[in-house]
Amino acid sequence: MNIDVIRPSELGKAEIDAWREMQHATPRLGNPFLSPEFTVAMGEVCAEARVAVISESDGPIGFFPFERHAGGVGAAIGAWVSLCQGVVHFPGAEFDAEALLRACGLHVWEFGCMVDGQTWFKPFETLSQESVILDLSRGYAAYLEELKERSPKFLKTTLYKERKLGRDAGELTFEFAARDDEQFRLLRSWKSAQYQRMGRPDRFGRPWVVELVERLHAIDTPEFAGPLSMLYCDGKPVAGHFGLRSDTILIGWFPAYDPEFAKYSPGLVQHLRMAEGAAAAGLHSMDLGIGTGSEYKEALRSRGEPVGEGCVRRRSAGAAAHWLRNTPVRRARQFILDSPALYGAADKAMKRYGRLRERLKAR
C-alpha cells in the first residue's frame, strides 16, 4: 500500500473518477461533505487542506481528506463546518489508523462527524450520537403520512401556521434551488443574527466560510450542488436554507428565517417544503445533522444514523502533549451532553449571553 499526500488542487480526472466510483459503490459514503467537490473547494480557501491518496498496484483504493496544522495536529477537512468526515474507499478496503497518520505527517487527527463503518477509527471514538434522517425514498406523500403517524401534533401545528402565514402575509411560494446572490446574502445575514441571539460563534463571521459557501453555491451538477432554498410570502423571502446535495441526499446545513415572521414558525414550514422539493428532485433522503436537544429535528426524523466523535493519537510525544491539553475539556463536554439537565442549563446560559451581547451592541 502506498500513501501520497497532495493538495486538493492536484487531484486529476482519474483520481476524481475513482473517488466518485467509491462513493457510488458504498451509499453511506455518498454524503456531499465526502465529495471531491467539497474537498477541492476547501483547498481553495484553506492553505492547510490536504488529501492522502491511498493506492495499491492497480490504482487508488481510498482518499483521506484532512487539514494539517502546526505541531502535527490534524483535523477533518473543513471541520468547523463539515457534517460528515472520514476515508472514502472501495468496498473491502482496510486501513491502519496510526500508519495513515504517520504517512500524513500527523501525530493527532481529530474528527467530529465520522461517517458510520470506519472500523479503523472506531477504537478512537469518544462520543457516538445520531444524525437525523428524513426518508424520502418512497416520495413526499409517503413521508408525510409517516410523519402524521409519528408526530401528529407537530404536523398539525406546522400546517396550521403555514395556512395562517399565507392568510396574514400573502400567497406562499417556494423555490428549491434559487440562484439569486442577493437572497443568499440575506440568508447569511439572518443566520449570523441567529448565531448572535443564541450566543454561538458566527460561522459567517469568518471570511473563508463565506468564500467556501459561495464557491459551493456556484456548483450545479447531477452529482453535486449547493442549492439555496427560499420560502416567500407575496414574493418576499421569509425563510431559507443553504445545504449540499449529491444525486441521492440533501444535507441540512444553514437554515434561517426572518425574525419578523417568527410566530408562524417559517423555518418549520421551510423544512417541509424543502423535503417536498428534494423528493421531487429524485433525492432519497434528507440529513439534518445531529439531533441532540432539537425538538423539531426529532419530530421530523424517520430514522437515525450513527455519527462518531473522537481523536486518533499516535504513540508520540506530540500526541501526548495534545492529550494533556485537550482531554479534560472533552470529558467535561461529554459529561454535559450526557446530562439533559446540564445540557439545558448550558443552552439557556448561551442564549442569555447572546441576548446580553445584542443589548450591549444596541447601546
Side-chain angles (χ1 to χ4, degrees):
M1 184 179 293
N2 186 57
I3 301 176
D4 295 310
V5 177
I6 62 175
R7 295 180 183 275
S9 60
E10 296 174 309
L11 288 165
K13 183 179 184 302
E15 287 87 3
I16 289 177
D17 287 347
W19 192 317
R20 291 197 199 287
E21 187 179 350
M22 294 172 194
Q23 288 191 289
H24 290 150
T26 305
R28 67 171 174 269
L29 299 179
N31 191 295
F33 283 102
L34 296 177
S35 70
E37 287 87 353
F38 181 76
T39 294
V40 169
M42 275 302 307
E44 293 168 340
V45 302
C46 174
E48 294 81 14
R50 299 289 187 274
V51 180
V53 182
I54 310 165
S55 303
E56 292 185 342
S57 57
D58 54 350
I61 62 167
F63 296 93
F64 175 53
F66 67 97
E67 293 179 18
R68 185 166 59 198
H69 299 286
V73 175
I77 195 163
W80 202 48
V81 294
S82 170
L83 300 181
C84 191
Q85 302 152 14
V87 177
V88 178
H89 59 89
F90 277 125
E94 292 291 338
F95 309 102
D96 178 85
E98 292 191 34
L100 181 58
L101 262 62
R102 189 181 305 111
C104 294
L106 301 176
H107 294 288
V108 173
W109 183 67
E110 298 178 299
F111 56 90
C113 293
M114 177 66 64
V115 65
D116 191 30
Q118 307 262 301
T119 55
W120 41 89
F121 293 133
K122 192 69 176 178
F124 305 95
E125 187 178 282
T126 57
L127 178 64
S128 180
Q129 302 183 81
E130 280 198 341
S131 185
V132 172
I133 306 298
L134 280 59
D135 184 358
L136 306 174
S137 60
R138 296 189 297 118
Y140 179 68
Y143 167 73
L144 207 60
E145 281 300 311
E146 292 173 359
L147 181 60
K148 185 177 180 180
E149 292 181 10
R150 288 193 313 272
S151 306
K153 184 178 178 181
F154 169 85
L155 179 59
K156 182 178 179 180
T157 301
T158 302
L159 294 178
Y160 167 76
K161 289 184 176 181
E162 179 180 28
R163 292 191 297 270
K164 184 168 175 56
L165 176 59
R167 289 195 302 269
D168 294 352
E171 181 185 3
L172 287 177
T173 54
F174 175 76
E175 191 170 4
F176 180 68
R179 307 307 306 172
D180 191 292
D181 292 338
E182 184 177 345
Q183 291 182 14
F184 195 18
R185 286 190 290 272
L186 176 62
L187 173 71
R188 298 200 301 266
S189 71
W190 287 342
K191 195 66 182 178
S192 291
Q194 180 189 3
Y195 284 134
Q196 292 168 14
R197 289 194 303 271
M198 297 176 67
R200 266 51 171 192
D202 178 9
R203 296 294 197 269
F204 295 119
R206 303 285 182 91
W208 72 265
V209 176
V210 174
E211 184 178 352
L212 173 67
V213 297
E214 288 180 343
R215 288 178 180 274
L216 295 172
H217 183 225
I219 303 173
D220 186 10
T221 69
E223 297 87 5
F224 181 96
L228 169 68
S229 299
M230 298 297 294
L231 179 70
Y232 308 92
C233 279
D234 197 25
K236 177 182 178 179
V238 297
H241 169 270
F242 178 72
L244 302 180
R245 69 144 182 86
S246 67
D247 54 354
T248 60
I249 186 170
L250 173 67
I251 307 298
W253 202 10
F254 294 113
Y257 59 85
D258 185 341
E260 178 185 343
F261 297 90
K263 68 179 182 180
Y264 301 101
S265 300
L268 298 182
V269 176
Q270 159 81 20
H271 274 76
L272 289 181
R273 293 292 185 102
M274 196 160 60
E276 184 178 20
L283 305 184
H284 299 167
S285 61
M286 280 175 55
D287 183 338
L288 299 185
I290 294 169
T292 304
S294 175
E295 292 183 7
Y296 87 88
K297 288 186 181 182
E298 290 302 317
L300 288 167
R301 69 180 280 163
S302 301
R303 65 177 189 275
E305 290 187 356
V307 175
E309 177 181 323
C311 184
V312 185
R313 293 186 178 89
R314 290 171 49 204
R315 297 176 181 85
S316 66
H322 182 271
W323 185 91
L324 289 171
R325 288 194 306 269
N326 293 275
T327 295
V329 175
R330 284 181 177 275
R331 287 180 175 170
R333 177 175 174 270
Q334 184 165 352
F335 182 69
I336 291 172
L337 286 172
D338 289 342
S339 169
L342 288 176
Y343 181 88
D347 186 57
K348 289 178 182 177
M350 292 296 288
K351 289 177 179 176
R352 283 198 298 270
Y353 169 71
R355 290 193 294 270
L356 175 61
R357 187 166 61 178
E358 281 193 319
R359 287 198 294 269
L360 291 173
K361 285 177 65 176
R363 289 181 180 177

